[in-house]
Amino acid sequence: MNPNVSHSRAEQAEIDASARWPVTVFLVSGLLWLIAGGALQLAANIQLHTPSFLADCAWFTHGRLAPAAQNALVYGWGFNAAFAFGLWLMARLSATTLRHGGWLFVAAKFWNVGVTLGLAGILGGYSTSFELLEMPKHVALLLLGAYALIGVWAVTTFSIRNTENIYASQWYLFGAAFWFPWIYSIAQVMLIRTPVRGVLQPVVNAWYVHNLYALWFLPMALAAIYYLLPKLLGKPISQYYLAPLAFWWFVICSAFAGGARLVGAPVPVWIPTLGTVASFSLLLPLIIFGLNFMGTVSGRFGHVGGSLSLRFVLLAMGGFLVNVILTLLLSLPRSAEIAQFTLLGTLRDWSALYATFTVAIFGAAYFFLPRLTGKEWRSSALIKAHFGATVVGLILLVIGYGAGGWQQGGLLNSASVGFADITAALSGWHMLNTVGLGVLLVGHLAFLINFVWIACPINSQGTANVSIPVPPALALAGKEGHA
């Protein structure tokens, strides 16, 4: 083996060892929330076609169950998974170890205690009326305090980096680390602490919800795609010199696109108009992402069958494309007349959180967990079950939310159709979505079992040690490479 390669491998092993336990704690917390949130989401969806399901218990009525599921998936699974992946990747790309990781355990405990109290508050009937801010207001300070501890580690790791190049993945990670506390603090102050009045409330809420997806979850997914594609294909990112333009254009336009959620709403017309213009301005970064990603994959499709991580990454790229298309569709006034306030809006947010972010994190987890633990994935059958369930679940839910939402919009715009008739007409689509959510939940359980076998010190004793293959050499040396 080349001495330089051997030295680099030893350095990466040291970095992985420093990040192992903080990353494992965040990821196992996230997976438990993913299972719990998936079960709550499944129960909430069953209530849409079987209203009597859990109807006798006030804690599990649909009005409490649905926001509890959404918050469990966003703040429980989404943030824990993003912390785990972001800390590991920032340490890797900064070529430095994760120091004093003990404080991250404290932060993880505070964050998850906060999410638990928040969900208990929602189920107990103490939620606010604002989407994705339903947790009782006393929980916000706990979450912000825990986030500050975690964010300090990400910034510190970046500031003491041992590399001269700053890669595209680091731009998105570093940016997301600052954007979330910014939008969360503003939304908490303007909606919960010192609430603004009247029409400003839905404007601020729409701005927060949009940016939570666009400036937190999507940047995390883009960081994973930018990192994994060159690693798995042994090929630099195609047209990489365009990536900085895509980054800044995507961030600036996304920050102004939230108003598009209010097309047709009783708000000043310039707000949804600005949102529509900003949404369509996202076409430029979308084209650049296409050149970067598809140009890199071009000519290397033979690698797809041999790499599970690459298959998940390609799925995440498809999910990102679906999300952008839906964002554009729902920002057009004529389309919004039909699609607004239907299942298509649910599909737009779900495609950002699950089809893009979650799928990308699964691809990253299959890549970095063997490197962190030194163990092989034990069950290939569970891996196949997880990937198969993800593909089937994605297809079912895209059809169920997409076709069901379009039919729902058409019926809502017909004055001759009663609301009870619309509910009955959508029953079949809700059942299809229930099947899709159930399939995804089975896949999550398969991943959790395999995760325990590879990450738990007791259960992993019978798992074979991993042999990390030498990554394919990059065709060009330069900033397109990784630390």
Side-chain angles (χ1 to χ4, degrees), residues 239-310:
Q239 312 285 337
Y240 184 71
Y241 64 93
L242 293 172
L245 176 62
F247 171 77
W248 287 111
W249 203 283
F250 177 79
V251 170
I252 293 171
C253 292
S254 293
F256 289 100
R261 290 174 175 258
L262 299 171
V263 173
V267 298
V269 71
W270 65 266
I271 294 176
T273 302
L274 177 63
T276 300
V277 172
S279 296
F280 273 85
S281 299
L282 289 171
L283 284 173
L284 177 62
L286 179 64
I287 293 171
I288 296 176
F289 290 143
L291 292 172
N292 286 165
F293 300 155
M294 295 312 298
T296 306
V297 176
S298 176
R300 301 292 176 97
F301 286 101
H303 290 68
V304 175
S307 173
L308 180 67
S309 292
L310 187 56

Side-chain angles (χ1 to χ4, degrees), residues 168-192:
S169 298
Q170 289 168 291
W171 309 339
Y172 289 100
L173 292 179
F174 199 73
F178 284 98
W179 295 326
F180 171 69
W182 170 53
I183 62 172
Y184 190 70
S185 301
I186 289 178
Q188 283 289 333
V189 170
M190 296 186 72
L191 294 176
I192 309 296

Side-chain angles (χ1 to χ4, degrees), residues 35 70 140 183 190 236 256 260 282 338-339 373 393 417 445:
I35 301 296
Q70 192 179 21
I183 62 172
M190 296 186 72
F256 289 100
L282 289 171
I338 299 175
T373 62
V417 182
L445 289 170

Side-chain angles (χ1 to χ4, degrees), residues 366-377:
Y366 278 110
F367 179 84
F368 70 70
L369 277 175
R371 288 161 173 77
L372 284 181
T373 62
K375 299 290 184 179
E376 292 274 8
W377 292 100

